[in-house]
Amino acid sequence: MKLSPALLQAITLGVAVTALSSS
Amino acid sequence: MNQLLPKIRSAVSCNLDNQLLQATLPLFAAEKIEAIEWSFDTLYKVREIPIWFVELLHAFGNEGRLVGHGVYFSLFSGKWTAEQQRWLDHLRKVSSNFRFDHITEHFGFMTGEDFHKGAPISVPYKKETLRIGIDRLQRIREACACPVGLENLAFSYSLEEVQRHGEFLERLIEPVNGFIILDLHNVYCQLQNFELDFETLIRAYPLDRVREIHISGGSWDVSGIQPQRTIRRDTHDDAVPEAVFELLRKTLSVCPNLKFVVLEQLGIALHTTESQELFQQDFDHMQAIVNEFNGRNNLIPDNDFLLKQAVSLNEPVPESLELYRQQLELSSILEQAANYEEATRLLNNSTLAHSAWKTESWSPYMLETALRIAQKWRSGW
């Protein structure tokens, strides 16, 4: 299923921030 | 493929777990994921769900591609608890916020000293447990107002229990026009642990009531009391074995009401780039099998699993304090016994002895495995 570019970017950023903070 | 027939969707379990999301992100970006399964009751430690995760749930929910999978309800607990009522209240709330295509839970009762600890363990297949299970399913159905289903258990104590599981599941879900999640790794565990053949075992399940299939990986345990024997465990911590993909190929053509096939794996097993790439390869493999079947599928669905009339709930809530006491006793033995010999001695001196639990016929290596499962999860996730 196609996600909007904005949502995909928000998920990518959210995952990256969580990965950074968890380390 | 008949263009009018609905397509079976390839899905992933999708929870607020960073490693799982890291593994899944390239699949989202490539527009491969056709549906997601969210364990809506696992966020009890999270203060606030990130907006982007909420938007992700809405994106799939609004397209009829979001399914909910509960973990902690403990369907067969003999005693009705305040935690179960809170779980239902939470389900009612999330069901009003998100559009679920269906909601599922696990068969069994949870060992563990509190609501969020323990592992699902089976119960005796008798009228009393059936009555409790049906009541709890009706409450779930009333709270979520969409189709409800149950997942087949991975763990069984005896061959007889394995052979009767499908029939008992069918009697349980029939009053709510429910369905089953056929977890093929759980089936694989039964095939390996009880040396059964697939064709015989699969026919013991109500295949016309399969709306969802799970595939996942697991691990092998070596029995301490029978060192030549290995036990297959549903640990969700490894890639999907080829044997499970083979079971998927065989199963698709016998489930006319199948709608979703879901790849599951725990985030704790996805902490390396290599493991995340294996997860993505497993999804591609699963999707290729599903798409190949979609291309030649002529099975006509004949059940939408909706209810034709409103749910009527029992008052007071059916309970069995004897069953509850036995469950507490069994949980305590499984979580505390130092080894198989001690567990056997304690069971023989318990209220479960010479009862519907049929503890005398439990396979020794499976009782040993039950100790390992209960002691692994007694502290929670």
Side-chain angles (χ1 to χ4, degrees):
Chain A
M1 189 177 103
K2 184 177 175 62
L3 298 176
S4 74
L7 176 55
L8 206 51
Q9 191 174 31
I11 298 168
T12 306
L13 189 62
V15 169
V17 167
T18 308
L20 196 64
S21 64
S22 65
S23 59
Chain B
M1 178 190 175
N2 183 334
Q3 294 300 314
L4 297 174
L5 289 176
K7 187 171 166 278
I8 298 166
R9 302 195 192 285
S10 295
V12 291
S13 57
C14 182
N15 297 309
L16 197 51
D17 176 308
N18 217 52
Q19 285 161 341
L20 178 61
L21 287 166
Q22 278 181 328
T24 312
L25 203 46
L27 299 172
F28 281 126
E31 302 174 16
K32 291 178 176 176
I33 295 175
E34 298 167 344
I36 57 175
E37 177 168 83
W38 176 40
S39 290
F40 56 88
D41 61 352
T42 58
L43 292 177
Y44 59 95
K45 289 179 182 172
V46 177
R47 285 180 199 163
E48 196 174 355
I49 307 178
I51 291 172
W52 54 266
F53 192 74
V54 171
E55 290 303 316
L56 179 65
L57 296 173
H58 280 309
F60 279 89
N62 292 341
E63 299 291 329
R65 296 164 182 245
L66 171 67
V67 295
H69 189 44
V71 176
Y72 294 112
F73 184 64
S74 196
L75 193 87
F76 284 106
S77 283
K79 188 178 177 185
W80 178 246
T81 65
E83 288 94 340
Q84 285 176 306
Q85 184 57 58
R86 276 198 288 274
W87 187 96
L88 283 177
D89 295 342
H90 175 66
L91 172 61
R92 192 184 307 277
K93 188 176 173 185
V94 293
S95 296
S96 66
N97 288 337
F98 300 102
R99 198 181 133 204
F100 291 108
D101 198 68
H102 66 225
I103 292 289
T104 55
E105 243 296 350
H106 293 79
F107 185 94
F109 79 97
M110 295 287 274
T111 62
E113 62 188 18
D114 71 36
F115 196 68
H116 292 116
K117 293 175 182 171
I121 292 285
S122 194
V123 290
Y125 299 164
K126 58 178 188 173
K127 278 184 181 175
E128 181 183 52
T129 48
L130 187 64
R131 183 173 61 99
I132 288 172
I134 289 171
D135 174 82
R136 305 311 188 249
L137 270 180
Q138 288 173 328
R139 289 173 196 281
I140 293 174
R141 180 67 181 75
E142 191 273 335
C144 69
C146 65
V148 295
L150 286 178
E151 179 178 344
N152 58 312
L153 257 184
F155 178 85
S156 292
Y157 291 110
S158 68
L159 177 59
E160 184 203 5
E161 191 184 356
V162 174
Q163 292 168 328
R164 293 182 58 204
H165 188 47
E167 181 214 1
F168 192 77
L169 265 173
E170 183 166 33
R171 293 169 65 195
L172 193 59
I173 58 181
E174 194 273 332
V176 292
N177 193 22
F179 61 91
I180 64 172
I181 296 179
L182 188 63
D183 187 309
L184 290 177
H185 188 267
N186 292 359
V187 169
Y188 180 61
C189 290
Q190 310 285 24
L191 295 176
Q192 298 298 317
N193 296 338
F194 292 96
E195 296 164 7
L196 294 163
D197 77 276
F198 174 72
E199 305 301 335
T200 305
L201 182 58
I202 201 71
R203 294 290 168 191
Y205 286 96
L207 297 173
D208 60 330
R209 286 195 176 269
V210 175
R211 194 180 207 234
E212 182 178 337
I213 281 177
H214 279 178
I215 66 167
S216 66
S219 56
W220 296 100
D221 258 4
V222 176
S223 168
I225 52 173
Q226 296 179 23
Q228 75 284 8
R229 183 180 275 282
T230 53
I231 315 296
R232 186 66 185 178
R233 294 266 307 271
D234 186 43
T235 44
H236 289 202
D237 57 1
D238 203 353
V240 181
E242 181 54 42
V244 172
F245 284 120
E246 192 52 42
L247 296 184
L248 177 62
R249 285 189 193 92
K250 290 179 176 178
T251 307
L252 289 171
S253 60
V254 290
C255 300
N257 291 301
L258 179 63
K259 194 167 181 180
F260 301 99
V261 179
V262 182
L263 172 64
E264 294 183 295
Q265 193 160 334
L266 288 176
I268 52 170
L270 292 168
H271 57 280
T272 65
T273 304
E274 183 189 26
S275 60
Q276 292 179 9
E277 287 172 354
L278 275 175
F279 178 83
Q280 291 151 17
Q281 288 168 21
D282 278 350
F283 182 84
D284 288 342
H285 193 172
M286 177 186 87
Q287 191 163 48
I289 293 170
V290 171
N291 286 347
E292 189 276 329
F293 178 73
N294 275 333
R296 59 183 169 83
N297 180 18
N298 283 314
L299 297 173
I300 299 172
D302 59 2
N303 194 339
D304 56 13
F305 301 104
L306 295 170
L307 270 180
K308 310 308 174 201
Q309 57 194 54
V311 178
S312 172
L313 298 179
N314 301 298
E315 290 301 340
V317 180
E319 295 183 301
S320 167
L321 295 183
E322 180 193 34
L323 177 67
Y324 178 64
R325 279 194 292 271
Q326 290 174 331
Q327 289 169 337
L328 287 179
E329 202 169 5
L330 177 59
S331 297
S332 174
I333 291 170
L334 294 180
E335 292 186 348
Q336 306 298 332
N339 51 42
Y340 160 74
E341 290 77 9
E342 185 184 356
T344 302
R345 181 177 57 76
L346 291 168
L347 281 171
N348 288 341
N349 293 319
S350 74
T351 60
L352 286 86
H354 309 294
S355 73
W357 290 84
K358 300 184 180 177
T359 57
E360 295 77 14
S361 65
W362 289 0
S363 299
Y365 58 91
M366 293 310 290
L367 173 56
E368 179 188 41
T369 304
L371 298 183
R372 291 175 180 174
I373 293 172
Q375 292 177 18
K376 175 182 177 182
W377 295 113
R378 67 181 163 192
S379 300
W381 293 66

